[in-house]
Amino acid sequence: MDENLARRKFLIQTAVIMGAVTAPVFPTLASIRLENKDLTIKEVIEILIKDIPGAPFERTVDQLRSGNMDQKVTGIVTTMFPTLDVIEQTAKIGANLIVAHETLYYNHQDDTDWLEEDEVFQLKKALIEKNQIAIWRFHDYWHRRRPDGIAEGNLKKLGWEKYYNPESPRLLNLPQPQPLRDILAHIKQQFEIPQVRLVGDLDQVCKSIYLAFGAIDSRMIIAAIQEYQPDLILSGETREWETVERVRDGRLLGKNTALMILGHELSEARGMEFAAEWIQEKIPNIKVSYIASGNPFQFV
């Protein structure tokens, strides 16, 4: 049977029989607990935010979206998006806490009132509850870390961490100018990205790179173009009628700034892979794994 078809059947069956099944499909969490088995989710979160400047925040999207704070932690998974696949894989390895960078329920605040009749929402919620998976969002705190956790993970993967300047954390200066074509090839190889979108000239040379991973407000990026005049903006995603058009018009007027759009997930995933290493150092007696949510797009 096709693997994807088998997974879909599993998920559908999970939703249908939720009310009738009491025993978990996977091995009991108690059977795979490691040392430090008395550590609760609340205690894990306290450890993770302890050294973040300004923590705890009065207002943040970094909330526990499922489970409860007194739940004992058997294993931790980091990921970008807590997709159905990630939830299923988390249960299979016996972990019960997902530390996700992005939203669980398709909007920044994870509001669910508008989703109550949505069958995909119902299925996802049922799968989480069945396997007693707690999901905590790690977005604002991870970006507030110094250096920004996403940026550090990305720069390490690219081998550019030595060029990081804490005085200007979003502006990277390479030691030598490089053709944009070479920079593009390097990023695609290291991030395993099949294609990017580019506003620019592959033969132009670049030395200064403005880092705009994830989704950065266009006004902020355009202000950075005015201030720094970078050779390249390395972006996750942006509205096409804003930053894209400013860069295009600038280039038509002879300005040098190019724009490379990687995609939101792929522009931050290495930062959440790094988060697994960072968390493991802080909590050595609980297994921490990274599970990629993966690129949602096909290029056809």
Side-chain angles (χ1 to χ4, degrees):
M1 180 183 296
D2 178 81
E3 182 178 351
N4 289 330
L5 179 58
R7 178 171 288 128
R8 286 195 294 272
K9 286 188 174 182
F10 164 80
L11 295 173
I12 292 169
Q13 289 169 357
T14 297
V16 170
I17 65 175
M18 264 298 297
V21 176
T22 56
V25 174
F26 304 108
T28 60
L29 298 177
S31 68
I32 51 165
R33 288 182 180 177
L34 306 174
E35 294 180 9
N36 228 351
K37 62 184 177 181
D38 293 327
L39 204 60
T40 66
I41 289 171
K42 181 177 185 293
E43 291 166 334
V44 166
I45 293 172
E46 288 174 347
I47 291 170
L48 298 188
I49 71 173
K50 180 177 181 294
D51 298 322
I52 303 295
F57 302 159
E58 184 176 345
R59 298 180 60 185
T60 177
V61 296
D62 294 1
Q63 304 293 335
L64 191 65
R65 299 304 187 186
S66 68
N68 67 81
M69 287 293 189
D70 295 326
Q71 191 171 336
K72 299 297 192 298
V73 178
T74 62
I76 301 171
V77 164
T78 68
T79 193
M80 261 297 292
F81 288 89
T83 65
L84 285 167
D85 279 346
V86 170
I87 294 165
E88 182 188 7
Q89 290 181 59
T90 298
K92 283 184 176 178
I93 66 172
N96 69 340
L97 173 59
I98 296 176
V99 175
H101 189 61
E102 293 296 356
T103 177
L104 173 63
Y105 289 128
Y106 324 123
N107 65 99
H108 191 54
Q109 299 295 337
D110 270 309
D111 295 327
T112 60
D113 291 348
W114 62 291
L115 287 169
E116 292 299 330
E117 302 303 318
D118 184 83
E119 62 180 351
V120 174
F121 163 75
Q122 293 170 354
L123 173 60
K124 194 171 193 179
K125 185 178 179 183
L127 185 67
I128 292 167
E129 292 176 351
K130 179 178 179 58
N131 291 289
Q132 300 178 359
I133 303 294
I135 299 177
W136 180 63
R137 192 168 176 194
F138 192 37
H139 181 275
D140 298 349
Y141 287 115
W142 197 220
H143 279 305
R144 189 70 66 85
R145 175 184 177 270
R146 292 294 176 265
D148 178 309
I150 293 294
E152 181 170 357
N154 282 346
L155 294 179
K156 284 184 177 221
K157 188 66 177 178
L158 293 169
W160 290 351
E161 69 273 19
K162 51 188 169 294
Y163 311 134
Y164 173 81
N165 179 5
E167 300 301 318
S168 184
R170 287 194 177 275
L171 189 66
L172 198 74
N173 282 289
L174 301 176
Q176 298 294 330
Q178 297 181 30
L180 181 53
R181 185 186 309 277
D182 293 349
I183 293 173
L184 169 62
H186 178 66
I187 291 171
K188 287 173 65 176
Q189 180 181 37
Q190 295 304 111
F191 283 3
E192 300 178 9
I193 300 177
Q195 288 182 323
V196 304
R197 291 189 293 170
L198 180 71
V199 182
D201 179 356
L202 286 172
D203 293 323
Q204 77 178 71
V205 293
C206 298
K207 190 174 192 298
S208 58
I209 303 174
Y210 183 79
L211 306 177
F213 301 124
I216 305 298
D217 180 76
S218 291
R219 289 181 179 236
M220 179 177 172
I221 296 177
I222 292 171
I225 295 173
Q226 296 168 347
E227 180 178 0
Y228 301 117
Q229 299 183 47
D231 298 319
L232 174 64
I233 299 165
L234 197 54
S235 171
E237 64 171 296
T238 185
R239 291 176 175 148
E240 294 186 19
W241 66 90
E242 296 177 347
T243 303
V244 173
E245 290 306 309
R246 170 59 179 81
V247 169
R248 176 157 67 171
D249 280 348
R251 295 188 67 81
L252 289 171
L253 291 172
K255 304 296 184 182
N256 192 52
T257 298
L259 172 66
M260 189 184 302
I261 303 174
L262 309 179
H264 194 133
E265 203 278 346
L266 295 177
S267 79
E268 295 193 297
R270 299 306 175 186
M272 290 311 291
E273 184 176 23
F274 168 61
E277 301 174 17
W278 181 80
I279 294 171
Q280 189 69 84
E281 290 181 1
K282 290 183 171 293
I283 308 175
N285 293 326
I286 294 179
K287 174 66 176 175
V288 183
S289 306
Y290 169 70
I291 296 178
S293 50
N295 185 3
F297 298 106
Q298 298 182 62
F299 296 92
V300 296

